[in-house]
């Protein structure tokens, strides 16, 4: 019988991976972060890689699911999108000195040689893109967003912009510049 919460362990490991990346995080770092012995971690997750995959699922639940839910809030599309992006700017500013976006670091570090990570990230990003596509499509149908581009193309552009905000915020966490980028992106909605 396991004497620890695997979800809590995955969340603690998520923080370690966000601070140091996959390669930079040692098993000892994971033991320290979770407070769980090496043998128990291996018994629960199989390997460091198994714990990393659990941490990615935890990241999705903690950050992407609420983002998607916020975009389903029922307000006008442009307002929802702006609110979500400004919230993202605020998070980036707050977190820029401490922890990286696990989606971005996993993309750069693990996707080239870990098909399971690639599949997890595609699923995570697709959920955001699909939600934005639906939201934008509805707004285009009622005239709230210009229909000169497909809803899917606009959704992809916004997803790329959101990830770009995270990257630029980590490099130079200037709220004014990041907010200006959000307004430019919103301008592309017509």
């Amino acid at each position: 019988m396991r004497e620890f919460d695997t979800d809590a362990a995955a969340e603690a490991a998520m923080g370690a991976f966000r601070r140091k990346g996959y390669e930079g995080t040692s098993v000892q770092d994971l033991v320290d972060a979770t407070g769980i012995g090496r043998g128990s971690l291996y018994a629960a997750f199989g390997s460091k890689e198994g714990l990393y995959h659990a941490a990615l699922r935890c990241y999705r639940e903690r950050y992407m699911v609420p983002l998607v839910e916020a975009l389903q809030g029922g307000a006008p599309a442009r307002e929802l999108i702006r609110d979500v992006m400004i919230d993202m700017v605020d998070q980036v500013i707050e977190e820029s000195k401490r922890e990286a976006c696990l989606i971005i670091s996993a993309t750069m570090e693990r996707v080239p040689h870990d098909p399971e990570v690639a599949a997890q990230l595609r699923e995570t990003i697709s959920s955001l893109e699909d939600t934005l596509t639906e939201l934008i499509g509805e707004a285009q149908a009622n005239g709230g967003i210009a229909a000169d581009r497909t809803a899917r193309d606009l959704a992809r552009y916004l997803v790329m912009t959101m990830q770009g905000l995270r990257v630029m915020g980590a490099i130079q966490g200037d709220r004014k510049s990041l907010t200006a980028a959000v307004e430019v992106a919103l301008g592309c909605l017509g």
Side-chain angles (χ1 to χ4, degrees):
M1 180 173 98
R2 206 168 273 136
E3 296 186 19
F4 62 89
D5 180 346
T6 54
D7 291 338
E11 186 164 341
M14 176 185 69
F17 288 126
R18 288 182 72 193
R19 286 186 294 279
K20 293 186 169 187
Y22 179 82
E23 295 298 333
T25 302
S26 69
V27 174
Q28 186 59 51
D29 292 330
L30 295 169
V31 167
D32 294 343
T34 62
I36 298 166
R38 185 179 304 249
S40 295
L41 283 176
Y42 278 100
F45 298 101
S47 63
K48 174 183 168 183
E49 188 173 23
L51 182 52
Y52 187 71
H53 293 162
L56 283 173
R57 287 188 296 276
C58 179
Y59 190 86
R60 177 185 174 137
E61 290 301 312
R62 166 76 74 86
Y63 294 99
M64 190 61 69
V65 169
L67 178 64
V68 166
E69 288 171 352
L71 289 167
Q72 297 168 335
R78 188 180 303 274
E79 180 182 322
L80 285 172
I81 293 167
R82 184 180 194 289
D83 288 349
V84 161
M85 292 179 82
I86 293 299
D87 284 348
M88 188 174 288
V89 166
D90 292 338
Q91 285 176 3
V92 166
I93 298 299
E94 181 181 315
E95 296 177 347
S96 66
K97 306 268 188 298
R98 295 180 285 127
E99 297 179 335
C101 171
L102 198 54
I103 292 172
I104 293 170
S105 64
T107 299
M108 302 309 295
E109 189 176 21
R110 302 296 302 160
V111 164
H113 51 276
D114 188 333
E116 187 174 335
V117 168
Q120 274 187 274
L121 296 181
R122 272 193 301 277
E123 183 181 328
T124 297
I125 292 300
S126 290
S127 68
L128 176 59
E129 185 181 306
D130 291 346
T131 300
L132 282 165
T133 298
E134 185 177 331
L135 179 65
I136 291 166
E138 290 170 6
Q140 286 176 323
N142 67 32
I145 290 179
D148 57 337
R149 291 183 174 83
T150 69
R152 178 67 64 182
D153 286 346
L154 289 170
R156 285 186 180 133
Y157 172 74
L158 291 174
V159 169
M160 285 187 259
T161 301
M162 289 174 181
Q163 295 308 311
L165 288 171
R166 292 189 185 283
V167 171
M168 295 311 296
I171 295 168
Q172 183 179 10
D174 172 30
R175 189 176 197 290
K176 184 177 178 184
S177 296
L178 296 174
T179 301
V182 168
E183 296 304 334
V184 170
L186 291 171
C188 292
L189 299 178

